[in-house]
Each structure stands twice: as C-alpha cells, then as structure tokens.
Amino acid sequence: MRRLVLSLALLLAANCGDDAVRGDRAEIYLQRFFGECGAEYGGATDISRVEGECGIITTMINRFNADNPDVHVDSNVVAWPGYPQLSAQMAARDPPDLVTMHTGVIPDYAAEGLLEPIEPYLAEAGLQPSALTEASRSAVTIGTRLYGLPFDTHGGLFHINTRLFAQAGLMRDGEPILPTSPEEMLVQARQFTQRTGKPYIIQSLVGDNAYAARNLYTYLLAQGAVIFPTPRTVRLQTPEAERIVDFFRAVTASGTSTRNQDTPAAIGSFVSGEGGIYPTGTWMIGQFEAEANTPGRPLYRSYTVYPYPRLWGAPVSYVSGHAWVVPRRERTPAQRRAIARFFRFIADHNFDWARTGHLPAFQAVVDSPAFRALPHRANIAPIAATGRPLPGGVQRQNAIEGLIGEEVAAAFNGQKSSRQALADAERRVNELLAQTE
Amino acid sequence: MTARGRLGGFAFVAPFLLCYSFLLIYPLVSGIILSFQHVDLFGGGRFVGLANYARLFADATFLRSILTTFLLALMIVPLLTILSLALALALNRATRGAAIFRGVFFSSSVLSVTIVTLIWRFVLAPDAGLLGETAQAIGAEPIPFLSHPTWSLWALAITTIWWSIGLPMMLFLAGLQQIPGDVYEAAALDRAGRWTTLRRVTLPALKRTVVLVVMLQTAAQLQIFGQAQLLTGGGPGGSTRTMVLFIFETAFARWELGYATAAAEILFLLIVMLTLTQYVTTMRGSEAEGGR
Amino acid sequence: MAAEATGRARRSPLTWVAILLAAFVMLAPLVWTLLLSLKENEALIGNSGAALSPPYTIENYRSILQGNQVFRWLLNSLVVSGGTTIGVLVLCSLAGYGFARLEFPFRRTLFIFVLLGLAIPEQAVILPQHQLFAALHLHNSYPGLILPGLAGPFGVFFMTQYFRAIPRELDEAAMLDGASRLTLFRKVLLPLTLPAQATLGVFTFLGTWNSYWWPLISATRSDMYTLTVGLASAQMNYAQTSGLGFLMAQAVFASIPIFIVYILFQKQIVRAMAGTAVK
C-alpha cells in the first residue's frame, strides 16, 4: 500500500515539471490547426518537397526545431478551428505560447486582454510592420497595436476540373467558361450535367457551416450590402441576401449539385473526378495541384482554379487570414527570444507557406517572380485587390460564422425557407452580439 | 461506545467525504451561484438574478435542444429496452455458444465514444460509408443519414443503441437468473405455452429490472454529448443539438459561462424530475399489486 | 438452473435467424473498421468501398508502431484510469465499511447526504469544476484527470450495500479473538468483498477510460491527451480523406487494450452482476 502511494506520488511529481527550460533549451508550446499528418511527415524537414497545408506546416516546424537546437517547439494539433480548446486553456490560465488564429477572431481575445501585442517580438526579429501587405496588416491591427503575425490571406475559390468542363463544352482557349450571372450558371450547370452525367458543383453542405457563410458573405459584399450596420447588429433580412440564398437553394435542388456531403466527402469527390466545380478556398490549391501533377490520378492535368465568379454586383471576394498570436502568460526571457526567432522563421518562409495556395502576408513575397510563377497564382492574384474582410469591430466572428452558416446551409438544402433561415440567423446573431460588452 | 471508537468511524468515511464535498458538492453550489450571474469564461461577473433563466425560456435554440434531447431519449430507450430484453431471453442458457454471443453483444460497450462515432461515421456516411457503398452497389439511393434532420436523429439513435446494448442485456440476464426454477416448473405443469410463460411469469418477475433499466437509460440518454458533437456536430441545422451540446457550445464557443450553467441546472432538474416520476409511478404500481 | 428450467431446450429457427442477424449488425461495423485499417491511405481516397477487396496491408500499423502519439495517449489513459480505479476502491471500501458497520455521530445523515449525490449529473458540476481546477492549477495534469472521478457516490453506495450483506457473526467472532476495528476490516471483511471490488473496479476503469467531456476541457495539451480526446483530435478533414486507413488503424489500436481488459474480466462482470444486481 505504501509502495503504491509512493509510486503514484512519484508519477504525479514527474508530471509537474518546470517546462520552461529543459536542460538548456527554451521550450515553447505551439498550437495549430491545419490537420494532423505526422504519419507521413513526422520527421521531414525539407519544406520544398512537401505539399498541402498540413505537410508544409508540419515540415516547417520540424525544420525550425532542427535549425535551432537551443529552442524546442512542442506542437499540438487541434481539430479546426480549435477555439473551444483555446478558450478552455485560457480559462484555465494555461494557454500555449503560439496559436494559429483567424484574423476575424483576434478582436475577441484581444478585447479580453488575453493576447500580447507583438511589436516587441517583431522588433527582436528585425521585422517591420510595413513589410506586410495592406490587407494582412489591417487584419491584425486593433487600434494602434498589432496582435498577431499575419501568416496569409485566404479566400474562397472555384476549383475546376477542366477535363470534365471540356467534355461539357465549357472550355474556351484552354480556360473554363464561368458564368457571369445566376441564370447563366443554372444553364451551364444543366448543360454540364447533361453532357457528363456528373454534378456541376460539389457542395459540402454537411458539417461545413463555413462554406454556406462564405457564399453568403461573398455575394453580399459583392452587392455592396452592409452586413453589420453597427458592431453589435447584423442585417440579413434583405433582398440581396434572399437573392443569394434562393439561388443556391435552386442550384442544390436542380440536380446539378451533390447533396449530403461533408468536407472529406466533397474533397474525395473532387479528387476522384466526380464533379466539375468544388467551391472551397485557397488552402486546397496545394493538395489539388499535387493530384494534378501525379500521372494516373483522375485530376492529372485537369485542374485549374479561379476566384468566385461575379454573379451580382462587383467582382469581390470574401477574404480572411491566418495569424500567429501570442497569448498572455508568464514567460522567461529565453522563451520570448524563442518566439521572436520563430516569427523570423515564419517571415523568411512565407513563400513556402504560399505554396499551399494562400496569399502571402509579406508584400515582398507577393511581388516576387517566384510567387507569380507558382501555378494558377495569376488567376487568383486579383483577390489581393478585390478581397474584403468583415468589419474588424465585430466580435464573436467565429461563432457568428457558425450560426449564419448553419441556418443558411439548411436553406440551401431545402430544409428551411430562405426567409425563415435569414430571419433566424439574424435573430440568433443579434442575440449573441447583445451579450458582448 | 468510546469517544475514540466514534471518531475512528469518522476516519473511515472522512477521505471520501472530503473528496465528495470539495469536488462535487462545492462545484454544485458554485454552479448554482454562477447561474445567477452574467459572467463570461474568463472571470469577472455581476449578479443578475433570474435573468439567465428568463433568457433561456425565450431562447428558441435552447428550447429546441430540450425537444431534441427528449425526442432522442424516446427513440432510444424503448427500443434499447426491448432489444436487450429479447437478447437476454434468447441467450439465457449455459451453453458455450450463448456465452460467446453474449460476449459479442457486450463488446461494443467497452469502446469509447470517439471510437464508436468514428466507426459509425464510416458506416452511415452516404458517400464513404459502408451503408452508402452497399446501397450504390445495389443501385439504391443511399440514405442521407448525416445530412437530413430526421435521419441524423436516427443516426444518433442507432449508434447509441449499438453502443449501449450490452449493459441492459447483462442486467436482464442477471434478473432472469434470479427467477427460481420452480416457478417455471409450475407453469409447465399447467401446460402453459411459451408466450403465456413469457407474459405471465417471466416479465412480471423482471419488472424491477425493467424499471431499473428504463430509469438508468433515460437519465443516461438525456445526457448525450459525445455522439452529437462528433457524429453530427449538432447538425444539420441544429437538428441534433442536444442539451449538453448546447451547454458545451454556450460555454466554450460563446464564452457565456453564467448562461451555460443556468442551462445545466435546468437539465439537472429535468433529469431528477423525470427519474423521480418514473420511480414513483412504477413503485406505486407495484405496491398496488401487493409488492414483490 | 433457471435457464434450463424454462423448458426451451430447442430454439425455433426464427430465433436463430434473429440472433445471427443481430450479431451481424453488431459485428459488421467492427469488421468494416478493421478492413479500412488494412488498406493503404491512397487506395481509399474518395472510394472507401475499396476496403471490401484486396490488396490489404499492415502499413498503417507499422506507422503507428514507429513511434506515434497513440502510445502517449494510451499511457495517459492507463495512468488516469488505473489511478482513478485504485483511488475509488480505496476510498469507497473504507467509506463503505464505515457506513455499514461503524457507529459515529450523524452517520445516517451523512449517508443520505452521499446518496443524494447519485442524482447529480456531470453537466451540473463540470463547468464550475473547470473553474475550480483552474484556480488550483490542476489542469493538464494527472491529478486533474483523476480527482473528479474520486468524488462519485455510486462506489460508496455499492460497497456499503455489500458490507451490509456480510453477516455480523464474523465481526463478533473476530472481535472475540481480540482484533481491532482496523484489523477486522483489513484481514477479515475486505477479502470477502473481492467480487464487489472486482465489479466496482472494472466499471470504474471502463467509465474513466471512456470519459470524454472532462478530459476534453482539462487535458488540452496533446501530451496529456487521453485516448478518447486524442482520437477525436486526429479525426480531421485531412485524416478523413487522405489518411483514412491510418485513422482507422489508430482506432483499432486504441481499442485493443480495452478489449483485453474486457476479455480478462468478463467472468467477473457477469458473476458479480448476477450476485449483486436487482437489490
């Protein structure tokens, strides 16, 4: 009995060590989404040889650890988007040192005083805020301080299977013909499905609220609608919004769209050549491009990508961004230096991250010939100019996206009327915002 | 009894009582206090009386989650009870074969909720799932288990029944083995057929076990969380958002701690009331029969 | 035995069919998972039906064995479940004996106080518990994962009933021989409760092993993840499309220990349940 208690005590003691410094290494704890692929890229350090968000970020961190033996980055992968976990950690006063965060979510945590401004780290790393793109810098600025190191700017894109498009007679001069109005899209969709027997559009309507929200936001912004008249109210019961929801509802019901798919199923479908268009984001370019370069795969040499087509109003993209934030907590000077060093590393490898498909955060990388030479970047470069984020003063953007997406996806699927979905979304979001202070 | 003897008694129950009071009762009380405050996850709150409760009763999402939770319990408990009883009746013999089958039916209960939902996602998903692939192979339309509001409820129900059938089956088996053999001999002497024996002898003898199973399972299914979060994410369109999922989302995605605790207290009350009602109605019934 | 006395030595074919069908429904998902785990990731992209036909490979299991976080998760689950089980058995045996046999002031009141706890569901306390443990800096630690499990009143209720069922003559005999209360407890009564200990132990172990919500919000660092939380974190879009075989292999691998426990203790569960259930 005594031995048991003793061994338990030892086990417990061994677990509460001082993890700031092990040996003479500074330990920092990093938390990110982007997926778990340790099985394939566990030890890889050659960033230029890997593809996809997951591969590249895993390899980057491995490479950082290898290049900096006096620092160790312990990384934790969370299921997207990881905010419930982060909130639990912050409530427990034990947050990570570095976290990936969507720029729209930064105001929430910053308002509660949970994030450190990062200018000191930038200074230590020798980085100038002016080196960032306009979009990135404004996305992480609150008042006069910066609360995160921008990692990228990303937006929605139409990923296109050019082989199927050719079969459907929708290719011209080697580029896909995209609709310029909602009616045209329905016509092209029907033509596509008639000629290829496959869905024109692959929609991830299940478990992917971000998809539905993105569609709504994009075309609301395109029509110049003011989504948030004040930082604490949303307006969705408008003709512009109804137009959009009715349209996608019609597309889903027309027999030219997939139904009942969640994101893994949608990705699987597109990769297997089972549909013409998969509207998702910049983050899939890397993976799909890899498929397009592999002989024998259904997408081999059959892939291209374009921003969301202009269907109403102006050609506008809804963009957001990823950033690295530093939660507030006690840190040793060695840990702070380590964080600064990590920031420097991220900045130096912004081009590698841009190989995923996301737009770089640093102007120099955007302007570089290497970036422009990457496949399809010329197609999506306009997003840098036409991209619009949501207003920075609006809090709880992640929760709001979830609410709106949930309601609107139900309308797309025909489970609710457009009016009802928009009314419910507006009510729920206003209720949520009323609780913020 | 000596004073030391009396205190000695305390020494035996004290360690547990310490854990119990500090780790269960204290949080219970502090939770009730939190439910009267407008407070977010990161501290600092102010007293608002019954405002959270008033808001909950006007909250369509919360009210819907109550409905969803009860609906799920209604879909699961009767089916689960009947199926596990049937299995227990069928497998109540001492043969090797029966033992193996009993093992098979209990095996799912030892798995954790994450494994169970992972397994069933790839059975039910229309595209990549076993059922979907089978349907496509025979040219049928796969059932949209995870994307249709009603079908997703059934997805949760089926998954939960598959997962939970072992324990009630074991309870029924234990109950069956308590029935003395002479009761059956008497029935056989009276030339009672199989069904009559079942209805007049076995089932009444099992009444206590049935009540126990129904009460335990109702309380358990009212608390569904893992399956709803992992298999359907509360969707589509919030149709499978159970009360516990609502509480989790309100606390950790919306940061409204006071509001979430108030919802948790309401769930607590509902479970207690329901369990008490079940207990009282069935016990009163058995007293009327002269008790057993 | 009551079983044979039911006079149904021969089963109708209908019953056989029903049992076999039920067993098939029971096992099919498990077999499907196993098959998926034995396929290469690439073969399954967009086409999980490929699992129904060869070729098969143990590639995924090899990847796991080459050092993977599943081992860390496994260790954590073992420590937490084992620690909780031992803690519960110790605390509840002591308390059960105290309530069943010893006299002390407020005994009956305290017992009712404990019984009332049976009605408290997890949700009513989990959020305040999270706050409490945050204030005590106990998150992301073994004590943080073990302590909440020690507060449950079911074990005390269970052990008290069991102790009460032991005839008092044994007590009196031992006391006549000059044994102290403690010796009586340790040397005489405790050994008699072994079946109950086995049952309570196995149930506590299984319950803790499979708990999800508390580890989800308390063990938020990947090196403290238990198996349930770790597997949930691995189930992401990437894993479900490009790493399906590996994901399923992780699930199978994670189930092995618990199946071993189950097979080893199956007899205990059944025997003890028959003896102590339906009181």
Side-chain angles (χ1 to χ4, degrees), chain B residues 56-166:
Chain B
L56 278 170
F57 283 116
D59 187 342
T61 318
F62 178 64
L63 295 174
R64 185 169 184 200
S65 73
I66 300 183
L67 191 66
T68 307
T69 311
F70 273 94
L71 202 58
L72 264 178
L74 216 62
M75 285 159 80
I76 295 174
V77 178
L79 264 179
L80 188 61
T81 311
I82 296 174
L83 283 174
S84 52
L85 178 57
L87 280 174
L89 287 170
L91 297 177
N92 184 24
R93 48 196 64 206
T95 65
R96 186 75 184 280
I100 294 181
F101 274 113
R102 284 196 298 263
V104 164
F105 290 108
F106 195 79
S107 59
S108 61
S109 314
V110 302
L111 297 172
S112 71
V113 67
T114 36
I115 296 183
V116 170
T117 48
L118 188 54
I119 292 176
W120 275 88
R121 160 175 293 282
F122 285 97
V123 170
L124 295 171
D127 262 47
L130 179 59
L131 290 182
E133 297 276 348
T134 318
Q136 277 165 17
I138 62 176
E141 190 63 33
I143 299 179
F145 269 114
L146 300 177
S147 48
H148 189 269
T150 319
W151 280 115
S152 348
L153 278 174
W154 278 111
L156 282 184
I158 296 173
T159 307
T160 311
I161 293 177
W162 179 89
W163 186 28
S164 322
I165 200 140

Side-chain angles (χ1 to χ4, degrees), chain B residues 12-55:
Chain B
F12 278 86
V13 299
F16 173 75
L17 281 179
L18 224 66
C19 282
Y20 180 72
S21 313
F22 191 53
L23 297 174
L24 196 62
I25 302 298
Y26 171 65
L28 180 69
V29 171
S30 106
I32 297 177
I33 296 176
L34 274 177
S35 73
F36 295 128
Q37 298 184 333
H38 182 267
V39 58
D40 74 17
L41 202 56
F42 307 112
R46 59 171 204 278
F47 183 75
V48 290
L50 291 173
N52 286 328
Y53 290 95
R55 208 180 125 212

Side-chain angles (χ1 to χ4, degrees), chain A residues 179-193 200-201 246-256 311:
Chain A
T180 55
S181 76
E183 298 76 26
E184 215 181 313
M185 182 149 159
L186 284 171
V187 165
Q188 290 182 358
R190 243 169 263 133
Q191 180 181 332
F192 181 95
T193 305
Y200 174 69
I201 185 169
D246 280 336
F247 171 67
F248 280 101
R249 200 191 158 86
V251 168
T252 312
S254 68
T256 58
L311 294 176

Side-chain angles (χ1 to χ4, degrees), chain C residues 44-241:
Chain C
L44 292 172
I45 297 182
N47 176 28
S48 57
L52 294 172
S53 54
Y56 294 111
T57 167
I58 55 167
E59 175 71 41
N60 297 318
Y61 291 98
R62 210 176 291 145
S63 300
I64 294 181
L65 289 174
Q66 271 164 11
N68 182 270
Q69 25 182 10
V70 180
F71 284 108
R72 179 79 215 197
W73 302 339
L74 196 59
L75 177 69
N76 291 336
S77 281
L78 277 172
V79 170
V80 171
S81 301
T84 310
T85 307
I86 293 172
V88 164
L89 289 178
V90 167
L91 288 178
C92 294
S93 302
L94 287 171
Y97 175 64
F99 279 122
R101 283 288 206 264
L102 301 178
E103 287 296 329
F104 49 88
F106 304 114
R107 186 185 63 144
R108 207 163 290 162
T109 324
L110 283 174
F111 190 63
I112 296 182
F113 176 56
V114 171
L115 271 193
L116 289 179
L118 285 173
I120 305 177
E122 188 186 23
Q123 311 77 41
V125 292
I126 194 166
L127 296 175
Q129 269 176 342
H130 189 262
Q131 299 244 300
L132 175 65
F133 278 64
L136 296 173
H137 297 289
L138 280 177
H139 284 303
N140 279 308
S141 72
Y142 287 134
L145 292 171
I146 292 176
L147 283 172
L150 301 181
F154 175 73
V156 171
F157 174 62
F158 190 73
M159 292 308 291
T160 310
Q161 297 293 80
Y162 210 85
F163 273 110
R164 277 198 186 138
I166 299 178
R168 285 198 176 255
E169 294 80 48
L170 282 169
D171 287 43
E172 283 149 28
M175 303 277 269
L176 281 178
D177 285 346
S180 73
R181 287 266 169 208
L182 196 56
T183 325
L184 172 63
F185 173 67
R186 271 178 51 210
K187 297 266 173 65
V188 179
L189 296 179
L190 202 55
L192 286 176
T193 59
L194 240 34
Q197 304 254 356
T199 312
L200 183 59
V202 173
F203 280 158
T204 310
F205 189 84
L206 279 180
T208 321
W209 186 272
N210 290 338
S211 73
Y212 177 56
W213 195 358
W214 179 251
L216 183 67
I217 56 178
S218 180
T220 47
R221 298 203 169 198
S222 59
D223 56 348
M224 279 309 296
Y225 281 169
T226 58
L227 266 178
T228 41
V229 178
L231 265 183
S233 80
Q235 279 188 51
M236 289 171 279
N237 291 336
Y238 183 87
Q240 286 188 36
T241 44

Side-chain angles (χ1 to χ4, degrees), chain A residues 11-307:
Chain A
L11 202 56
L12 298 178
N15 213 47
C16 338
D18 171 5
D19 52 10
V21 177
R22 287 256 166 80
D24 43 7
R25 288 195 315 189
E27 295 244 338
I28 53 177
Y29 192 78
L30 178 157
Q31 188 157 293
R32 64 168 185 80
F33 33 78
F34 303 127
E36 167 63 65
C37 48
E40 285 160 81
Y41 301 113
T45 51
D46 189 349
I47 309 176
S48 57
R49 305 234 332 246
V50 297
E51 297 295 337
E53 278 182 326
C54 184
I56 293 181
I57 188 70
T58 308
T59 323
M60 277 172 78
I61 296 177
N62 292 343
R63 178 69 178 279
F64 178 80
N65 279 330
D67 288 350
N68 295 279
D70 55 334
V71 169
H72 183 72
V73 170
D74 202 352
S75 79
N76 181 21
V77 184
V78 289
W80 191 92
Y83 297 128
Q85 281 94 321
L86 183 61
S87 303
Q89 289 165 320
M90 291 194 167
R93 322 259 190 282
D94 187 24
D97 293 302
L98 285 163
V99 189
T100 52
M101 188 177 281
H102 294 89
T103 50
V105 173
I106 293 181
D108 282 348
Y109 288 94
E112 296 267 355
L114 295 167
L115 299 178
E116 285 187 24
I118 55 140
E119 286 96 341
Y121 297 108
L122 290 182
E124 167 112 19
L127 296 169
Q128 298 289 348
S130 54
L132 298 166
T133 64
E134 176 68 42
S136 305
R137 191 177 50 250
S138 58
V140 298
T141 307
I142 301 183
T144 53
R145 308 299 306 270
L146 276 78
Y147 283 94
L149 175 70
F151 202 22
D152 62 53
T153 303
H154 57 257
L157 298 170
F158 266 29
H159 298 259
I160 299 169
N161 184 325
T162 51
R163 190 171 41 82
L164 288 178
F165 257 59
Q167 209 178 322
L170 287 172
M171 293 290 284
R172 189 192 302 140
D173 299 328
E175 292 301 328
I177 301 175
L178 287 175
T180 55
S181 76
E183 298 76 26
E184 215 181 313
M185 182 149 159
L186 284 171
V187 165
Q188 290 182 358
R190 243 169 263 133
Q191 180 181 332
F192 181 95
T193 305
Q194 246 166 24
R195 299 213 192 154
T196 64
K198 300 205 198 290
Y200 174 69
I201 185 169
I202 295 176
Q203 300 192 80
S204 53
L205 290 166
V206 176
D208 189 6
N209 295 331
Y211 166 73
R214 183 186 325 125
N215 287 7
L216 184 67
Y217 285 162
T218 304
Y219 290 113
L220 277 178
L221 291 170
Q223 295 177 75
V226 176
I227 310 178
F228 292 95
T230 80
R232 294 178 68 194
T233 46
V234 70
R235 265 190 73 225
L236 293 172
Q237 297 188 80
T238 59
E240 290 92 353
E242 233 179 282
R243 213 172 281 153
I244 300 168
V245 179
D246 280 336
F247 171 67
F248 280 101
R249 200 191 158 86
V251 168
T252 312
S254 68
T256 58
S257 160
T258 59
R259 310 186 70 141
N260 310 323
Q261 284 185 325
D262 57 9
T263 305
I267 295 177
S269 264
F270 185 70
V271 158
S272 306
E274 292 296 319
I277 301 176
Y278 176 33
T280 178
T282 46
W283 51 88
M284 292 308 298
I285 293 184
Q287 195 175 336
F288 291 160
E289 187 61 29
E291 288 283 323
N293 289 334
T294 316
R297 300 291 298 158
L299 274 184
Y300 184 52
R301 299 224 179 122
S302 314
Y303 168 67
T304 188
V305 60
Y306 274 90

Side-chain angles (χ1 to χ4, degrees), chain A residues 341-362:
Chain A
R341 234 187 291 169
F342 187 78
F343 275 11
R344 178 84 226 188
F345 181 83
I346 291 289
D348 288 343
H349 287 90
N350 206 214
F351 170 71
D352 287 300
W353 183 245
R355 283 178 40 241
T356 55
H358 294 306
L359 292 166
F362 285 86

